[in-house]
Amino acid sequence: MNKVMRTLLRPCKKTTELIDKQMFTPLTLKEKLQLQAHKAICGTCNAYEKQSKLLDALIGKWFAIDSNKKMSTLDEDKKNKIIEAIKKI
Amino acid sequence: MDLIKEDSKSILEQWVNQFSDELYSWAFFKTSSKEVAEDLVQDTFMAAFHKIDSFQGKSQPKTWLFSILNNKVIDYYRLRARTNKKNFSLTENSGYELSDGLFNTYGCWKTNDINAAWDQDQELLDNPEFNSIMENCMDDLPQKWKLAVTSKYLSDKKTETICQELEITASNYWQIVHRSKLLLKKCLELKWV
């Protein structure tokens, strides 16, 4: 029984890995059981799973804002500076 | 002779207006730094001016400019690998250390308190003040990690392509995203009070 418990109950650090891993690749049966067993008794890791999902949304949102701001266009100022620099050569 | 030079200048000016946005967004994707990308675009146009004689209209101006830019990007990474390599891996190492630091030696959370910041989930998505904190926290990530976290939002890139460009393995990839999330969690909990 102890052996089963030791296999099933992994520390929080390992559990958070599984929480994030499952978003990229399907977990093995063993990993799924480990995740379920741990989540049944650990509020902090349950909360982490929610936070991790929220973080995905936050990163996506940040990226959309950031890319609008930084990625698609070069600032007009900078364009003018380049043109000025060419004229000076 | 000066007349030709003036001609080249006006052609270059036209190209800046026409192509600099596309060149810039590519450079930004490659370096994930606004400043570096801006400099590389400027360098590209400077180099284009100096060797405009070698551009004989055999290819499209855009293609030609992109080939110059790609060389500039390679030079940038070469230079950085030579001068800054230690610095760079240290940042990644400290990323691992910092995220390890959320747990004690038994792998348990150091604090079991659930930060109240996470209760306002919908609000966090809409709050402009929060956006700037998010930006700070994203900038704190090791550069490669930041790229890994955001690259899935760049068009429809498959994991494999992302990994190839970042020179990481697939299992390393989700680990990096996982570590980045732990760091973001820590950073947001510290800064969003």
Side-chain angles (χ1 to χ4, degrees):
Chain A
M1 190 57 194
N2 255 342
K3 214 175 174 183
V4 178
M5 289 302 279
R6 264 205 301 275
T7 322
L8 264 183
L9 284 179
R10 310 287 292 148
C12 295
K13 189 165 188 278
K14 288 282 166 201
T15 306
T16 58
E17 285 178 15
L18 294 181
I19 287 169
D20 288 327
K21 187 185 181 183
Q22 65 183 342
M23 296 178 197
F24 289 89
T25 166
L27 300 182
T28 63
L29 183 62
K30 187 175 161 193
E31 287 172 329
K32 273 184 203 162
L33 290 171
Q34 287 172 337
L35 183 58
Q36 287 312 321
H38 187 105
K39 281 202 303 179
I41 55 163
C42 177
T44 320
C45 284
N46 266 307
Y48 179 75
E49 187 165 35
K50 280 194 201 121
Q51 292 161 3
S52 174
K53 281 178 188 154
L54 179 59
L55 275 174
D56 273 337
L58 292 172
I59 293 167
K61 169 88 187 309
W62 170 82
F63 185 76
I65 295 171
D66 192 64
S67 49
N68 270 341
K69 205 166 60 192
K70 289 180 181 168
M71 262 197 63
S72 47
T73 56
L74 185 60
D75 293 343
E76 283 305 313
D77 269 8
K78 190 67 196 174
K79 275 182 207 169
N80 290 331
K81 269 184 199 149
I82 295 175
I83 291 170
E84 286 307 309
I86 292 168
K87 280 181 181 163
K88 267 188 216 148
I89 300 174
Chain B
M1 191 60 200
D2 272 354
L3 207 68
I4 298 173
K5 207 171 154 187
E6 285 313 306
D7 265 1
S8 317
K9 283 184 183 178
S10 69
I11 291 173
L12 255 296
E13 188 175 338
Q14 216 180 318
W15 287 353
V16 172
N17 288 319
Q18 242 178 309
F19 304 120
S20 60
D21 285 343
E22 278 176 85
L23 290 164
Y24 168 73
S25 66
W26 177 244
F28 183 81
F29 169 60
K30 284 292 188 183
T31 62
S32 72
S33 156
K34 188 174 189 276
E35 288 71 29
V36 174
E38 285 179 351
D39 286 347
L40 291 178
V41 171
Q42 170 148 1
D43 292 350
T44 299
F45 283 111
M46 290 301 152
F49 177 79
H50 287 298
K51 56 181 178 184
I52 196 147
D53 291 343
S54 71
F55 174 73
Q56 292 153 337
K58 277 181 196 157
S59 54
Q60 295 294 321
K62 189 170 134 180
T63 316
W64 187 62
L65 291 169
F66 264 91
S67 72
I68 299 175
L69 174 62
N70 276 326
N71 284 324
K72 297 281 169 204
V73 172
I74 292 167
D75 287 347
Y76 163 73
Y77 276 110
R78 265 196 205 128
L79 188 71
R80 223 185 46 169
R82 252 206 318 270
T83 55
N84 241 358
K85 194 167 189 177
K86 215 174 161 191
N87 229 341
F88 187 57
S89 56
L90 194 78
T91 333
E92 249 188 301
N93 277 344
S94 61
Y96 282 110
E97 274 170 32
L98 275 170
S99 50
D100 277 341
L102 287 162
F103 304 94
N104 67 20
T105 43
Y106 303 106
C108 304
W109 292 101
K110 274 189 185 159
T111 166
N112 280 305
D113 300 339
I114 297 159
N115 196 296
W118 298 100
D119 296 336
Q120 334 161 30
D121 43 358
Q122 212 40 55
E123 200 195 316
L124 291 186
L125 283 162
D126 299 326
N127 190 323
E129 226 178 299
F130 176 77
N131 290 335
S132 70
I133 289 172
M134 183 71 186
E135 174 146 14
N136 283 336
C137 292
M138 289 296 292
D139 282 340
D140 284 348
L141 292 179
Q143 204 182 17
K144 197 168 162 184
W145 294 16
K146 187 177 165 187
L147 205 56
V149 170
T150 51
S151 51
K152 76 168 178 172
Y153 297 100
L154 291 162
S155 64
D156 287 329
K157 292 209 161 215
K158 297 231 167 69
T159 313
E160 205 180 311
T161 333
I162 296 168
C163 291
Q164 269 172 10
E165 287 195 359
L166 296 172
E167 291 172 348
I168 51 183
T169 61
S171 65
N172 204 346
Y173 175 60
W174 72 255
Q175 280 280 0
I176 286 176
V177 174
H178 165 61
R179 294 295 184 139
S180 306
K181 280 179 162 181
L182 288 176
L183 290 186
L184 285 173
K185 170 183 154 69
K186 189 178 176 182
C187 179
L188 293 175
E189 286 177 353
L190 269 174
K191 293 187 178 165
W192 183 249
V193 192

